[in-house]
Amino acid sequence: MHGAEVPHFPDTVEAKRALRRRLLQARRDRSPASLALDGEAISVHVATLPQVRAGACVAAYVSAGTEPSTDRTLEALRERGVRVLLPVLLADDDLDWAAYAGPTAWRTGRRGLREPDAPALGTHAVAEADLVLVPGLAVSDSGHRLGRGGGSYDRALARVAPDVVTAVVLHPDEVGLPVPVEPHDRPVDAAVTRDGVTWLD
């Protein structure tokens, strides 16, 4: 699904940093109200994915800052009988996972992030997922995702079977951008925005 040629960037790391700065600046202009509305639309589109069914397992994440809100998506999945796993950031920036138990079952984790108030299941729990939703700042037409630079989700995606659908949640204007690629970067299959699901090559 990701057979497209990886583009060549003479200074990939710096190119990523420059793109991150530009995208983060653009995100600062988005209002909390628009982020919440985007999150409502995204929850509807996520529900259309065939992997979302009662008894399935979805690894997702808790949105923060100017990311499209995932709050409604998490609750909608739980209401449908889907088991939802959420990340717990470890000291080495790897991701442990814990089950989502509802909109009040939170604790504050590293870097002030919301984490599920539930027992940790281990870094390999993500391998149980039928669908993995990940954050990002942009994605290319070939599925190469630009993250925040910590490598947390590239490590997590490396533990997921090749037939598991992976999707990045973004704003519409962040899809289809030329993203610099490093050898450790893991591509995703789709992008979900307020406008719908875009399948990537």
Side-chain angles (χ1 to χ4, degrees):
M1 197 167 187
H2 300 291
E5 183 178 344
V6 174
H8 173 68
F9 291 86
D11 187 348
T12 303
V13 173
E14 184 49 43
K16 280 186 171 182
R17 287 178 184 151
L19 183 56
R20 278 191 198 100
R21 286 193 295 269
R22 179 167 68 82
L23 292 167
L24 287 168
Q25 179 59 49
R27 281 190 172 189
R28 291 188 187 101
D29 295 331
R30 302 182 189 274
S31 70
S34 71
L35 296 175
L37 285 173
D38 288 355
E40 290 285 339
I42 286 166
S43 72
V44 173
H45 299 312
V46 168
T48 68
L49 294 169
Q51 295 77 19
V52 176
R53 60 190 184 279
C57 179
V58 173
Y61 67 98
V62 184
S63 57
T66 54
E67 294 174 336
S69 176
T70 59
D71 289 356
R72 182 60 197 140
T73 295
L74 300 180
E75 192 58 13
L77 290 171
R78 189 175 73 93
E79 290 168 355
R80 290 172 67 101
V82 174
R83 181 178 182 230
V84 180
L85 301 180
L86 295 176
V88 175
L89 185 64
L90 300 175
D92 63 355
D93 285 340
D94 205 346
L95 298 178
D96 204 331
W97 298 86
Y100 174 60
T104 60
W106 300 115
R107 63 177 175 236
T108 302
R110 294 185 69 242
R111 300 182 189 166
L113 298 173
R114 284 184 295 163
E115 295 176 350
D117 189 11
L121 301 172
T123 58
H124 282 81
V126 68
E128 301 171 20
D130 301 291
L131 168 69
V132 182
L133 301 176
V134 299
L137 293 171
V139 72
S140 70
D141 289 331
S142 57
H144 291 103
R145 180 188 68 95
L146 180 70
R148 297 283 184 142
S152 302
Y153 282 92
D154 289 312
R155 281 189 266 181
L157 291 173
R159 299 176 180 124
V160 175
D163 60 339
V164 172
V165 172
T166 57
V168 60
V169 180
L170 294 170
H171 300 291
D173 55 356
E174 297 166 345
V175 178
L177 300 182
V179 172
V181 179
E182 295 178 89
H184 65 267
D185 291 336
R186 297 280 172 165
V188 294
D189 300 309
V192 187
T193 73
R194 65 172 183 252
D195 293 342
V197 178
T198 301
W199 293 96
L200 306 166
D201 295 330

